[in-house]
Amino acid sequence: MTNTILQCLPTAGEAPRRLAARLAIPLSPIELHRFPDEELRVTVGPAAPTTIVYGSLHEPDHKLLALLFASEALRRGGAKRLVLAAPYLCYMRQDAAFREGEAISQKVIGKLLAEAFERVVTVNTHLHRTSNIADVFPKIEADNLSAMPAVAATLRGTLDPYTIVTGPDAESQPWVSDLAARLQLDYAVLQKRRRGDRTVEITFADPSIFANRSVLLVDDIVSSGGTLAACAKALSAAGARTIDAIAIHALFAPDLAATLFKAGVRSVKSTDSVPHPTNAVALDGVLANALRKECRT
Ligand code: R5P
């Protein structure tokens, strides 16, 4: 019996195949069947003592249930250690009850996945008030990897040397400063105030630093596109020469790209954490570095 295998939830992308190839382990699909009454049947492949399940958790609700069912079947099939590789981890943004009666979804999802898996590996998950992923998964191993080595490897040698790496808010400072250091570029972060689900207001400490500069705008999640569009408009108004955007997790509808271009964004690239037409950065190297220890015989 192979000691470690990878099984994946159905996905439109090639990312799990690349990861299995890099780890040199077998890959098999997890089959999902929807009955006419909308209930789900989950069928896993043969389990190995260590089974890594690849499931990126955009459009998450049915996938969460599928993961719980898969975990039950895999354990019954002999898996002793289940590792979830979820490049995009859902429901991490609601880490507090902002109004009376609101559920703290981050806490619930952390507990749910910790009951099904021994380890969760994700990439640039959105942690705000919870600064450490260990606080989301206190009883299991958890890794919040950075996509920046992969982003830097993709962009190296392609950028104007006077590019300024920029993020929309103070939360973006860790990945913006990391990427800038890897590419030996300047960086700055903007100030963002959210007005609604799709509306944000962007301000600058010093708009003059963007005048006539190429800007690389990097955000962890692009969902409604409101943040990127507002940043692009503000940067154009500050005199930025070009604005290229990187989304770590491209949750936006592909046709939104037109709105972003209209707002002044010249190009958008994303990682393959979520299958999307803008995918340009493969995360298999970053994930494999963290998962290789699972493959020792
Ligand atoms: C929020 O703080 C995140 O870092 C992103 O800026 C946000 O999720 C982007 O969402 P949207 O594309 O809907 O503006």
Side-chain angles (χ1 to χ4, degrees), residues 93 126 169 171 192 194 219-227:
R93 282 176 283 183
H126 188 96
D169 48 28
E171 287 167 48
K192 173 169 101 177
R194 187 164 279 288
D219 206 357
D220 57 349
I221 295 171
V222 178
S223 170
S224 72
T227 300

Side-chain angles (χ1 to χ4, degrees), residues 136-173:
V136 181
F137 300 104
K139 296 197 176 134
I140 60 166
E141 280 177 68
D143 304 68
N144 186 20
L145 310 175
S146 169
M148 291 310 123
V151 174
T154 303
L155 297 181
R156 194 162 287 122
T158 68
L159 301 172
D160 160 8
Y162 297 105
T163 298
I164 181 162
V165 184
T166 305
D169 48 28
E171 287 167 48
S172 65
Q173 207 253 345

Side-chain angles (χ1 to χ4, degrees), residues 50 76 108 132 149 156 170 176 195 209 217 228 234 252:
T50 298
R76 207 161 22 80
V108 178
N132 191 339
R156 194 162 287 122
V176 165
R195 298 282 183 205
I209 60 171
L217 186 55
L228 273 197
F252 61 102

Side-chain angles (χ1 to χ4, degrees), residues 91-290:
Y91 287 119
M92 291 295 113
R93 282 176 283 183
Q94 181 103 24
D95 57 5
F98 302 100
R99 289 190 205 95
E100 205 182 319
E102 276 180 4
I104 305 176
S105 51
Q106 184 192 80
K107 206 182 258 186
V108 178
I109 297 302
K111 192 160 172 260
L112 193 78
L113 293 176
E115 275 164 16
F117 294 91
E118 273 75 33
R119 183 181 176 204
V120 172
V121 175
T122 187
V123 180
N124 286 102
T125 198
H126 188 96
L127 299 177
H128 187 185
R129 283 149 289 261
T130 316
S131 57
N132 191 339
I133 195 156
D135 297 336
V136 181
F137 300 104
K139 296 197 176 134
I140 60 166
E141 280 177 68
D143 304 68
N144 186 20
L145 310 175
S146 169
M148 291 310 123
V151 174
T154 303
L155 297 181
R156 194 162 287 122
T158 68
L159 301 172
D160 160 8
Y162 297 105
T163 298
I164 181 162
V165 184
T166 305
D169 48 28
E171 287 167 48
S172 65
Q173 207 253 345
W175 63 78
V176 165
S177 58
D178 179 5
L179 184 61
R182 288 172 191 277
L183 295 171
Q184 296 179 292
L185 297 171
D186 294 339
Y187 78 88
V189 293
L190 311 179
Q191 288 146 17
K192 173 169 101 177
R193 181 169 298 172
R194 187 164 279 288
R195 298 282 183 205
D197 280 353
R198 290 164 190 274
T199 326
V200 300
E201 190 183 287
I202 297 292
T203 50
F204 303 85
D206 178 10
S208 69
I209 60 171
F210 296 101
N212 216 23
R213 300 285 293 270
S214 304
V215 177
L216 181 68
L217 186 55
V218 191
D219 206 357
D220 57 349
I221 295 171
V222 178
S223 170
S224 72
T227 300
L228 273 197
C231 289
K233 282 183 192 155
L235 288 163
S236 299
R241 194 167 42 184
T242 55
I243 302 162
D244 296 295
I246 301 285
I248 302 174
H249 306 295
L251 301 186
F252 61 102
D255 60 7
L256 191 82
T259 311
L260 297 176
F261 298 146
K262 223 165 129 190
V265 175
R266 180 175 68 170
S267 72
V268 186
K269 289 187 172 71
S270 62
T271 79
D272 63 0
S273 71
V274 177
H276 197 273
T278 57
N279 285 173
V281 180
L283 291 176
D284 56 307
V286 164
L287 290 166
N289 285 345

